[in-house]
Amino acid sequence: MAEQTVSMPKPPSKAWRMFRSIGLLRESPVGIVGVAIIVFWAVLALFADVLAPYPPNATISPMMFPGDTDASGNMFLLGTDHLGRDILSRIIHGSRRVLILAPLATLCAYIVGIPMGLAAGYLRGRWDDVLSFIANVILSFPVLVLYVIIIATIGASAVNILIAITFASAPGIMRIVRGLVLDLRNREYVAAAQTRGESGLYIMFIEILPNARGPIIVDACLRLGYVIITIGVLGFLGLGLPPPDPDWGGMINETRQLAMTFPHMAVFPCIAISSLVLGFNLVADGLREISLRD
Amino acid sequence: MLLFVTRRVGTMALTMIVVSILLFILLELTPGNVATKVLGPYSSEEQRRLWLEAHGYFDPIHIRYFRWLGDFIIGNFGESTRFKVPVGDVLWPRLWNTAILGFAVMVVVVPLSLTLGVLAGMKEGSKLDRSISVGSIVFTSIPEFASAVLLSAIFVFYLGLLPGTSGMASGFDLAQLVLPVMVLVLYDFGYVARMTRASMAEVMLTNYIRTAVLKGLPYRSVILKHALRNALIAPFTVIMLQINWLLSGVIVVEFFFAYKGFGALLLEASLNQDIFLIEACAMVAVFVAVGTQFAADVGYTYLNPRIRFS
């Protein structure tokens, strides 16, 4: 990434570059496992209607253990919860919510954080002082304290969760981008663009940003994992999206009181969240390993 | 050094002031809301107006802010609407309980993650290194609430070894502390271990280590005498900054195990819109976070003679 010192006249398309960086993961067994886990959940989310054995909110037979069959012959692979809903179907449908909300929230955080980081790192001076100070203040909050206060004050809804995650994550992204820009701003291609008389915006977004993409992509994978955890934690604390639609964190919250007698109700959603987070963390680790090798 | 410390204290104070302004804006900007939260949703318009007047809420906003800040500094946090006692009376005992929990976690995390990190970093790319790295990724991927559920399923449901709640109803009980500590350790040690590993791996590549190896010193003494001393400077900062993470973690863990600590208190305050308690909890949390960061910075400069105070 860093060795590309001349801006190419016609860079390969975004989709091709994405494809190529995923293709690179072939060299990292850990990364392949991560991709496999993510693809697994993506397929479940896409075909949830076909794959889930029962409707997610239907009350069938309460308190069934995994593998039990009820009187009318319904089999529950992962059992049912206290309201008689099939846990497997709820997990499959719940994956949709996580896989839509988490990437969206991460994207919002980057949309806010990247320009901040570019401005702080490229313009320096007062911009840098002010933006860095704001970032330091927000980052001095223990993350979850910040989420709990924000969500409890403005209320729990998908939009508010997006706002809270953006607010809490953008400063961290800003810091990373700023660090990258400080390194890249002295490159020849930046000097060349400055000599050509390009505007600051052009240099920041067209010259510098694409060359900083490697570490940003690695960071985005890690951050996606954290965002999934955050959404799960909010659901778990009762600050997530309102019932009855399945939400992994919410499923754990609803059944944790019964965890001493019917642990399967909370255990399976836990495994689902952990595996998805693990998937993103493994991909991040694989990508980092590969980028360090070059 | 003195200049460095003063400057850090200044930044710290400024951060706290900005945080207090943010909190004030978020929670107290509209007096009507405050009155509703304090007096409850069924209070009459007249009651709210009288309460607002008695507590000076009709003054201009900056006067209100400074009075609020002044009260805060002398430890007058107001009255908790949830517990019907002054905020300090519930806050300090809870904070003490969380300190016990946090201390227990640190006692386990520090030696465990440093040992693993050093072992992994000693030989970069070895089998041991790879397995420790992957292991720490796996453990950091399991959120605290998930490991809380999984561990209590194992130790409480299947094995019946440990109590499932940590309310400490009949006095302090060490057995009740085991699961909360375990959950926090599992989530935290991976990160510290990976940072230690990175630091150790970097030190192993330096020239003075190569010299020590080449002049024929035994491997053991190269590691113990030369490498460790320098490799453990960076993890010190990481460990101090873990305290910030720990404050997030305790919310989940204390909620799950019904441990009467600071995290559970903050959550309860937020869910019940106990406004003065939220403010006090948030300020304490940020103070602890900023304070440990300060300690980390000062400690790091002290430990690392290469850093000059500029």
Side-chain angles (χ1 to χ4, degrees):
Chain A
M1 284 130 228
E3 66 271 45
Q4 181 194 344
T5 45
V6 188
S7 62
M8 282 181 281
K10 194 163 180 271
S13 74
K14 271 244 158 60
W16 167 243
R17 266 192 262 146
M18 282 282 283
F19 178 76
R20 204 177 45 185
S21 49
I22 291 170
L24 274 177
L25 274 175
R26 264 176 326 189
E27 294 166 33
S28 155
V30 168
I32 292 174
V33 176
V35 172
I37 296 174
I38 297 170
V39 168
F40 169 76
W41 283 113
V43 168
L44 283 189
L46 266 177
F47 302 106
D49 295 320
V50 192
L51 291 172
Y54 304 98
N57 293 334
T59 304
I60 312 166
S61 302
M63 312 284 190
M64 290 298 214
F65 277 101
D68 279 1
T69 308
D70 71 358
S72 42
N74 295 318
M75 217 281 275
F76 305 102
L77 204 56
L78 301 184
T80 60
D81 67 5
H82 57 301
L83 297 177
R85 300 171 295 190
D86 180 44
I87 291 177
L88 177 62
S89 309
R90 285 178 74 72
I91 288 181
I92 293 177
H93 278 274
S95 66
R96 281 190 171 172
R97 189 173 263 187
V98 188
L99 284 174
I100 291 173
L101 201 53
L104 205 61
T106 315
L107 187 70
C108 286
Y110 274 91
I111 290 176
V112 175
I114 285 181
M116 283 170 69
L118 286 172
Y122 183 70
L123 303 174
R124 306 296 314 270
R126 202 159 292 164
W127 282 92
D128 192 12
D129 294 342
V130 172
L131 287 171
S132 295
F133 183 73
I134 295 174
N136 281 340
V137 168
I138 297 175
L139 288 175
S140 65
F141 275 94
V143 222
L144 198 50
V145 173
L146 195 57
Y147 284 125
V148 167
I149 294 174
I150 295 179
I151 296 294
T153 311
I154 64 178
S157 70
V159 176
N160 287 353
I161 290 176
L162 280 187
I163 293 174
I165 290 177
T166 305
F167 185 78
S169 318
I173 296 168
M174 181 223 127
R175 267 197 191 168
I176 288 171
V177 175
R178 174 181 173 275
L180 292 168
V181 175
L182 284 181
D183 176 39
L184 293 174
R185 69 196 295 273
N186 298 323
R187 298 291 168 93
E188 288 93 339
Y189 56 82
V190 175
Q194 281 164 342
T195 323
R196 285 204 306 274
E198 302 286 4
S199 70
L201 279 180
Y202 178 90
I203 293 174
M204 283 189 268
F205 284 95
I206 312 290
E207 299 286 350
I208 295 180
L209 185 57
N211 288 296
R213 70 177 184 275
I216 292 180
I217 292 172
V218 173
D219 177 66
C221 284
L222 283 179
R223 214 165 277 279
L224 253 172
Y226 280 126
V227 170
I228 294 167
I229 292 182
T230 304
I231 294 172
V233 167
L234 289 175
F236 167 77
L237 295 177
L239 293 165
L241 299 173
D245 281 343
D247 172 78
W248 289 351
M251 289 172 72
I252 301 166
N253 181 39
E254 287 164 24
T255 56
R256 73 188 172 85
Q257 307 282 2
L258 300 161
M260 302 305 149
T261 32
F262 299 97
H264 69 276
M265 296 177 183
V267 163
F268 291 119
C270 283
I271 294 174
I273 295 189
S274 307
S275 69
L276 186 56
V277 175
L278 180 65
F280 283 108
N281 283 351
L282 291 179
V283 170
D285 192 61
L287 285 173
R288 183 167 33 206
E289 199 186 335
I290 289 163
S291 67
L292 283 180
R293 208 180 293 156
D294 297 341
Chain B
M1 185 74 183
L2 193 66
L3 182 73
F4 170 77
V5 172
T6 350
R7 193 181 283 173
R8 295 297 303 165
V9 171
T11 333
M12 197 173 134
L14 194 60
T15 309
M16 290 302 297
I17 287 173
V18 175
V19 165
S20 72
I21 294 175
L22 277 180
L23 272 178
F24 187 78
I25 291 176
L26 189 67
L27 295 165
E28 297 223 6
L29 193 62
T30 41
N33 277 341
V34 182
T36 319
K37 280 173 190 164
V38 172
L39 299 175
Y42 302 112
S43 53
S44 71
E45 204 62 36
E46 179 67 11
Q47 281 172 316
R48 283 182 217 161
R49 199 186 60 77
L50 285 174
W51 186 88
L52 287 174
E53 209 164 45
H55 292 81
Y57 272 92
F58 292 115
D59 293 340
I61 180 135
H62 58 277
I63 294 182
R64 268 170 53 207
Y65 170 72
F66 283 114
R67 191 170 44 217
W68 176 83
L69 191 67
D71 275 351
F72 232 99
I73 290 167
I74 57 168
N76 178 10
F77 302 131
E79 180 127 335
S80 158
T81 52
R82 167 97 178 136
F83 298 94
K84 311 283 178 218
V85 289
V87 166
D89 289 5
V90 277
L91 182 62
W92 303 125
R94 293 292 196 105
L95 202 58
W96 175 243
N97 285 346
T98 295
I100 296 174
L101 182 60
F103 179 75
V105 172
M106 281 299 165
V107 165
V108 184
V109 163
V110 172
L112 178 72
S113 52
L114 289 186
T115 316
L116 289 177
V118 166
L119 285 177
M122 255 161 47
K123 268 204 175 141
E124 214 183 347
S126 65
K127 266 219 178 78
L128 184 68
D129 175 30
R130 273 322 280 168
S131 37
I132 289 178
S133 295
V134 172
S136 63
I137 298 178
V138 172
F139 282 114
T140 8
S141 300
I142 306 175
E144 282 119 342
F145 59 86
S147 51
V149 168
L150 297 175
L151 288 177
S152 33
I154 296 171
F155 288 100
V156 183
F157 181 74
Y158 291 111
L159 300 178
L161 283 178
L162 293 166
T165 54
S166 311
M168 308 276 172
S170 48
F172 184 78
D173 179 5
L174 201 62
Q176 296 188 4
L177 207 58
V178 175
L179 276 179
V181 169
M182 227 189 303
V183 170
L184 288 169
V185 167
L186 275 186
Y187 188 69
D188 276 346
F189 89 91
Y191 185 69
V192 183
R194 297 186 73 178
M195 289 298 143
T196 314
R197 175 198 169 274
S199 168
M200 186 71 185
E202 200 186 314
V203 168
M204 293 306 284
L205 291 177
T206 53
N207 287 330
Y208 64 88
I209 293 295
R210 193 183 304 159
T211 313
V213 173
L214 288 180
K215 79 180 179 191
L217 279 184
Y219 195 62
R220 257 177 76 95
S221 81
V222 173
I223 298 289
L224 292 177
K225 284 203 181 128
H226 297 254
L228 271 188
R229 197 172 291 178
N230 288 294
L232 292 184
I233 297 175
F236 166 77
T237 320
V238 176
I239 289 168
M240 291 303 283
L241 296 181
Q242 268 324 85
I243 291 173
N244 197 332
W245 275 106
L246 208 57
L247 277 174
S248 288
V250 292
I251 298 182
V252 171
V253 167
E254 291 177 358
F255 172 67
F256 187 86
F257 292 106
Y259 184 78
K260 296 239 174 290
F262 174 77
L265 183 70
L266 174 73
L267 186 68
E268 206 177 339
S270 300
L271 292 175
N272 291 295
Q273 302 285 330
D274 190 341
I275 181 164
F276 301 125
L277 192 53
I278 301 179
E279 288 168 0
C281 285
M283 287 298 271
V284 167
V286 177
F287 182 75
V288 171
V290 177
T292 47
Q293 194 168 14
F294 168 77
D297 284 352
V298 174
Y300 186 73
T301 17
Y302 180 74
L303 286 176
N304 192 345
R306 276 170 302 186
I307 303 238
R308 289 286 149 248
F309 324 113
S310 53

